[in-house]
Amino acid sequence: MGDKADVWQGTLALMVLKTIEMMGPMHGYGIARRIEQTSGHQLTLNYGTLYPALLKLEQEGAVRSAWGVSENNRKAKFYSLTPAGRKQLGREARNWEQTTAILARFLAAGDAV
């Protein structure tokens, strides 16, 4: 897999929530870089995708934002997980695990034929 893949539809919110849970409050650029790093640089994340997702998560009450100063002394919006976001993360993680288990069964069925 030489080329970077785009983030799979339906997984971005899960990756954002999990990143914030693991790392604590982060600004958007930091979230994007961490997701790319965690993927082993197999995923690419553009800001036209990330920021609408962060806005949606904020409107849903899963994250809250506050202005702060970044590592390079610039004003940045930092996102943190809310209690509702922790619940959403749990739900989405369970749904993803169930989905991948179903797909694994289909792939394994091809080996049995």
Side-chain angles (χ1 to χ4, degrees), residues 1 3-8 12 15 32-33 35-37 39-47 49-50:
M1 231 182 145
D3 296 326
K4 287 187 177 183
D6 289 327
V7 174
W8 302 295
L12 182 57
M15 288 187 279
R33 296 291 71 79
I35 288 172
E36 289 176 356
Q37 180 184 31
S39 77
H41 300 283
Q42 295 297 307
L43 297 176
T44 185
L45 192 59
N46 72 56
Y47 306 109
T49 302
L50 177 62

Side-chain angles (χ1 to χ4, degrees), residues 27-108:
H27 52 75
Y29 180 81
I31 293 169
R33 296 291 71 79
R34 182 63 183 177
I35 288 172
E36 289 176 356
Q37 180 184 31
T38 302
S39 77
H41 300 283
Q42 295 297 307
L43 297 176
T44 185
L45 192 59
N46 72 56
Y47 306 109
T49 302
L50 177 62
Y51 286 103
L54 285 167
L55 178 61
K56 183 175 186 282
L57 287 168
E58 190 171 14
Q59 290 171 341
E60 293 171 350
V63 299
R64 70 174 59 93
S65 66
W67 287 100
V69 179
S70 68
E71 310 79 43
N72 60 0
N73 212 25
R74 290 190 161 177
K75 188 176 176 183
K77 194 180 266 193
F78 285 77
Y79 298 88
S80 58
L81 209 54
T82 65
R86 288 188 193 287
K87 289 179 183 174
Q88 182 176 340
L89 174 58
R91 280 192 311 274
E92 290 194 25
R94 284 188 300 277
N95 289 343
W96 185 249
E97 288 167 0
Q98 183 179 35
T99 299
T100 57
I102 291 167
L103 286 172
R105 279 186 242 137
F106 276 93
L107 294 173

